[in-house]
């Protein structure tokens, strides 16, 4: 978009230049005459060099600004300090190239692409940074050639230049340093690149200063790039180059836009939580609360619920549920499924299970735990409560459980794989392997809850519905199959096993099911949370003769 300087337009109008034949066809006016409308402008003849080293010069610039009618002094001269590279040949010469290089492993599958980054010690920030590969352009070298050379020096790969940007400015408040952004593609099926790939990160080609600074290449996935940067920042304390962070944000915004535009469901909206800590933006809180007041369901993406963690959790659940002769794995007495209930962070799984799978589930559980707190804050804010942490404080014992579920394959005669019920806690976060069947009873009909890759389903349980005087809905749901009454589920879905992981958030044990000043939860008079959960779930035994929904919820089912 072209931004037209308002002051320039006004000056143009008052000096009478608004005759139609002076206007370019686009209708945007340019003033090429030298007048006060050229201002502000630097007067380089007055530049003072304050200090200089081999590589850098500190200058104080003088620049003129337009007279300010409110400034009686009439002073139009201003000063600004800047750093200049001593290698710069002229005011407009480009100093450097910054390289966005994409490693292509499979030309038909861009989801496998990686972005080449470099980690190095940077004395000005007294720490390690993660940046794009970059380097100064040699005298008489063109930017594309400089990019190819620098890229090979820093990473060992041979890349093909796809585009070169106009000069862009790295920190224009501080320096006139400029760089062309060069986009490169690295074909990893080429022998040279494949060979170089086998070597470890710090490679032999580096010399002098680059070696001293411990420069090493880091290959980060293009899908989930922003999360990969956050992880590095959190775990290794690396400092992130601003251009790299903007690139990661743009990739994320594009991905969210594509997913949202493909999924415009009002009943089960897709919401991006945007943050995994603290207080979420008001707009997000409102979207979440509106959905949970409506269908009681929504589909959620959140920074901590990465695609990688989700894949690992599904695989771990599948492996654990396949463990032979494990007392942790229970056959459901009525539904065609097996399940395992894991409580707290010390998952106790009986049988021969790799600790790696237990760790995968612990990581998933940990990510859900912080996401749960942000969701509870969203709900408090969205309901207009004064205390955003009201619900969080009622959950600070973190009495959550993770139910791993595996549904057996069936055929067209198979009915419900999980019979209709409401969840009894406060919030449920559900991850599935994408096999269909989840249906919610909304506005008198069973409706399929869509599956969105890399997202989880969130729904409200009876306690939170009750605490909010049913402003939030504990909606009945089920995992249907073709023979379920009123089902939309296809035969294809039931012909394969189905894995899901339901994370149930329960409040602190000694909280009453009835918050002060409210009517009691139907059928649960005088129970604390422990007793109530016992009553609803049927205890910890395998007979599961609990209560699937409260009588009020049953009325809504009709
Ligand atoms: O497996 C599913 O998709 C849903 C499971 C469920 O609703 C539950 O276990 O409460
Ligand atoms: Fe459920």
């Amino acid at each position: 978009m072209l931004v037209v300087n308002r002051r320039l337009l006004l000056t143009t109008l008052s000096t009478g230049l608004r005759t139609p034949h002076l206007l370019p066809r686009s209708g945007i006016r340019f003033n090429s005459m030298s007048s006060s409308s050229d201002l502000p402008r630097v007067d380089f003849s007055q530049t003072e060099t304050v200090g200089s080293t081999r590589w850098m010069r500190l200058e104080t610039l003088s620049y003129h600004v337009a007279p300010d009618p409110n400034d009686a002094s009439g002073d139009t001269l201003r000063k600004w300090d800047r750093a200049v590279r001593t290698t710069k040949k002229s005011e407009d010469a480009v100093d450097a190239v910054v390289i966005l290089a994409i490693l292509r492993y499979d030309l038909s599958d861009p989801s496998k692409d990686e972005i080449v980054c470099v980690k190095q010690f940077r004395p000005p920030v007294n720490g390690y940074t993660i940046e794009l590969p970059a380097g100064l352009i040699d005298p008489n070298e063109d930017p594309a050639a400089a990019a190819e050379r620098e890229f090979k020096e820093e990473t060992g790969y041979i890349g093909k230049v796809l585009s070169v940007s106009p000069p862009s400015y790295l920190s224009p408040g501080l320096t006139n340093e400029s760089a062309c952004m060069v986009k490169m593609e690295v074909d990893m099926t080429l022998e040279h690149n494949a060979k170089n790939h086998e070597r470890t990160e710090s490679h032999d080609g580096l010399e002098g200063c680059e070696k001293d600074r411990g420069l090493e290449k880091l290959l980060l996935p293009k899908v989930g790039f922003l999360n990969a940067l956050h992880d590095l920042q959190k775990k290794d304390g690396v400092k992130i180059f601003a251009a790299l962070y903007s690139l990661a944000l743009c990739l994320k915004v594009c991905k969210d836009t594509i997913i949202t535009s493909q999924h415009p469901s009002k009943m089960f909206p897709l919401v991006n939580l945007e943050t995994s800590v603290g207080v979420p933006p008001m707009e997000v809180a409102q979207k979440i609360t509106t959905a949970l007041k409506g269908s009681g369901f929504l589909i959620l993406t959140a920074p901590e619920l990465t695609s990688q963690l989700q894949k690992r959790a599904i695989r771990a659940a599948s492996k654990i549920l396949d463990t032979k002769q494990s007392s942790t794995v229970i056959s459901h007495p009525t539904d065609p499924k097996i399940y395992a209930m894991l409580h707290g962070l010390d998952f106790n799984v009986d049988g021969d299970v790799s600790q790696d799978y237990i760790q995968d589930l612990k990581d998933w559980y940990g990510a859900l735990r912080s996401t749960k707190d942000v969701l509870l804050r969203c709900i408090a804010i969205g309901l207009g409560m004064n205390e955003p942490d009201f619900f969080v404080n009622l959950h600070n014992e973190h009495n959550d459980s993770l139910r791993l579920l595996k549904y057996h394959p069936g055929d067209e005669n198979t009915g419900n794989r999980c019979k209709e019920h409401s969840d009894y806690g406060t919030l449920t976060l559900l991850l599935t392997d994408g096999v269909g069947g989840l249906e919610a009873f909304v506005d008198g009909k069973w409706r399929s809850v869509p599956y969105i890759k890399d997202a989880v389903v969130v729904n409200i349980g009876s306690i939170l519905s009750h605490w909010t005087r049913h402003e939030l809905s504990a909606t009945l749901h089920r995992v249907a199959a073709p023979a379920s009454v009123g089902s939309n589920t296809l035969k294809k879905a039931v012909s394969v096993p189905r894995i899901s992981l339901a994370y149930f958030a329960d409040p602190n044990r000694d909280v009453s099911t009835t918050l002060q000043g409210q009517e009691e939860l139907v059928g649960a008079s005088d129970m604390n949370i422990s007793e109530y959960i016992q009553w609803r779930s049927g205890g910890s035994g395998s007979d599961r003769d609990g209560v699937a929904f409260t009588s009020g919820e049953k009325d809504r089912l009709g």
Side-chain angles (χ1 to χ4, degrees):
M1 190 179 77
L2 256 168
V3 178
V4 183
N5 182 322
R6 269 196 79 178
R7 180 186 284 174
L8 184 117
L9 270 182
L10 288 174
T11 320
T12 311
L13 290 171
S14 62
T15 50
L17 284 173
R18 200 170 149 258
T19 39
H21 67 275
L22 287 178
L23 297 181
R25 283 223 169 87
S26 67
I28 293 163
R29 289 166 275 248
F30 295 100
N31 185 355
S32 59
M33 300 184 72
S34 176
S35 72
S36 65
S37 58
D38 283 350
L39 300 175
R41 174 179 24 89
V42 172
D43 180 355
F44 286 107
S45 67
Q46 295 193 43
T47 301
E48 287 166 51
T49 295
V50 179
S52 183
T53 66
R54 180 170 165 209
W55 297 109
M56 211 186 292
R57 203 164 56 238
L58 177 62
E59 293 178 348
T60 297
L61 299 175
S62 300
Y63 67 107
H64 298 279
V65 295
D68 178 353
N70 299 320
D71 181 354
S73 74
D75 182 11
T76 59
L77 189 67
R78 303 280 186 274
K79 299 278 182 189
W80 196 285
D81 296 335
R82 74 168 180 182
V84 182
R85 286 191 177 278
T86 52
T87 46
K88 204 173 186 69
K89 288 280 165 302
S90 67
E91 193 53 38
D92 292 326
V94 184
D95 297 283
V97 281
V98 174
I99 303 155
L100 170 61
I102 311 285
L103 297 193
R104 313 280 335 256
Y105 295 92
D106 178 349
L107 295 183
S108 63
D109 183 1
S111 71
K112 298 204 173 102
D113 293 353
E114 286 179 325
I115 297 174
V116 184
C117 302
V118 287
K119 181 179 160 186
Q120 59 195 305
F121 182 75
R122 288 293 200 183
V125 295
N126 185 28
Y128 281 85
T129 58
I130 173 152
E131 306 177 24
L132 288 169
L136 293 178
I137 302 175
D138 285 344
N140 304 323
E141 193 177 34
D142 78 60
E148 280 171 349
R149 175 183 54 73
E150 277 290 342
F151 186 60
K152 183 148 188 278
E153 280 171 22
E154 287 195 358
T155 69
Y157 295 125
I158 295 177
K160 185 170 107 195
V161 171
L162 299 183
S163 64
V164 178
S165 79
S168 61
Y169 294 85
L170 297 168
S171 185
L174 180 73
T175 173
N176 61 350
E177 184 183 27
S178 62
C180 289
M181 304 286 299
V182 179
K183 193 170 138 206
M184 276 181 136
E185 183 177 73
V186 185
D187 181 349
M188 294 308 287
T189 62
L190 288 181
E191 200 186 333
H192 170 93
N193 290 336
K195 257 200 193 144
N196 176 64
H197 201 52
E198 284 158 19
R199 279 191 261 154
T200 50
E201 284 164 340
S202 358
H203 60 91
D204 313 328
L206 299 178
E207 279 168 18
C209 175
E210 285 177 347
K211 208 168 203 166
D212 291 346
R213 288 189 282 113
L215 187 134
E216 66 181 71
K217 74 181 177 219
L218 290 180
L219 309 178
L220 300 186
K222 194 171 81 184
V223 177
F225 187 51
L226 186 64
N227 285 321
L229 286 185
H230 286 160
D231 279 355
L232 276 170
Q233 198 263 329
K234 251 196 254 164
K235 286 188 196 130
D236 298 354
V238 291
K239 301 178 177 193
I240 306 169
F241 174 44
L244 192 62
Y245 198 86
S246 338
L247 170 72
L249 268 185
C250 289
L251 286 172
K252 180 79 174 73
V253 168
C254 290
K255 186 179 159 214
D256 290 348
T257 311
I258 292 166
I259 296 175
T260 313
S261 61
Q262 286 169 349
H263 177 71
S265 167
K266 282 213 168 79
M267 196 171 279
F268 306 114
L270 175 68
V271 183
N272 177 14
L273 194 56
E274 290 182 21
T275 174
S276 292
V277 284
V279 181
M282 178 57 112
E283 190 200 343
V284 174
Q286 276 167 347
K287 259 195 220 163
I288 287 175
T289 314
T290 305
L292 297 177
K293 280 181 177 177
S295 67
F297 274 71
L298 62 86
I299 297 168
L300 185 85
T301 55
E304 269 203 86
L305 308 184
T306 63
S307 146
Q308 186 69 5
L309 273 188
Q310 298 189 19
K311 266 192 222 142
R312 282 169 45 204
I314 293 277
R315 185 188 56 182
S318 169
K319 296 282 182 193
I320 289 171
L321 292 169
D322 282 347
T323 312
K324 303 271 173 295
Q325 291 171 342
S326 166
S327 64
T328 315
V329 181
I330 297 169
S331 273
H332 196 275
T334 52
D335 297 340
K337 68 187 181 197
I338 52 175
Y339 68 96
M341 280 305 264
L342 306 176
H343 302 278
L345 262 174
D346 300 318
F347 298 152
N348 231 341
V349 178
D350 161 60
D352 185 17
V353 176
S354 152
Q355 281 309 307
D356 289 350
Y357 296 133
I358 306 283
Q359 191 55 51
D360 289 342
L361 291 181
K362 284 187 180 171
D363 291 347
W364 179 238
Y365 188 91
L368 289 170
R369 187 186 261 193
S370 37
T371 305
K372 169 195 78 175
D373 279 350
V374 183
L375 274 172
L376 289 170
R377 259 180 225 118
C378 284
I379 292 171
I381 295 170
L383 290 174
M385 297 170 74
N386 292 333
E387 174 51 78
D389 273 351
F390 180 79
F391 294 123
V392 172
N393 292 337
L394 295 176
H395 287 75
N396 54 17
E397 286 173 8
H398 295 294
N399 294 322
D400 309 323
S401 38
L402 191 60
R403 182 188 287 161
L404 317 180
L405 290 144
K406 183 168 184 177
Y407 300 87
H408 307 309
D411 55 29
E412 63 269 38
N413 301 315
T414 306
N416 289 338
R417 298 174 104 179
C418 167
K419 69 171 179 289
E420 61 272 17
H421 65 282
S422 64
D423 292 342
Y424 44 79
T426 48
L427 269 183
T428 303
L429 286 94
L430 177 79
L431 171 66
T432 79
D433 61 0
V435 174
L438 180 65
E439 296 181 349
F441 196 74
V442 186
D443 294 342
K445 276 199 180 130
W446 285 106
R447 319 222 179 219
S448 294
V449 180
Y451 168 75
I452 304 287
K453 196 174 165 300
D454 296 341
V456 296
V457 173
V458 175
N459 64 284
I460 292 294
S462 301
I463 296 177
L464 194 51
S465 174
H466 173 72
W467 280 352
T468 60
R469 295 202 169 92
H470 306 295
E471 266 205 71
L472 304 183
S473 316
T475 307
L476 295 181
H477 55 283
R478 66 183 184 182
V479 181
S484 302
V485 177
S487 167
N488 305 301
T489 300
L490 303 174
K491 194 177 141 206
K492 199 171 120 211
V494 82
S495 65
V496 288
R498 180 177 186 277
I499 304 275
S500 64
L501 291 89
Y503 173 90
F504 303 109
D506 290 347
N508 296 349
R509 292 283 177 236
D510 60 353
V511 177
S512 163
T513 50
T514 307
L515 285 185
Q516 219 181 3
Q518 289 200 350
E519 87 231 40
E520 72 185 27
L521 182 57
V522 184
S525 54
D526 292 337
M527 289 186 191
N528 66 19
I529 293 294
S530 283
E531 292 156 346
Y532 166 78
I533 288 172
Q534 191 84 356
W535 172 64
R536 282 293 304 268
S537 65
S540 54
S542 58
D543 48 344
R544 312 289 302 164
D545 59 351
V547 178
F549 32 72
T550 66
S551 53
E553 289 160 3
K554 186 165 188 233
D555 290 347
R556 264 168 263 151
L557 185 59

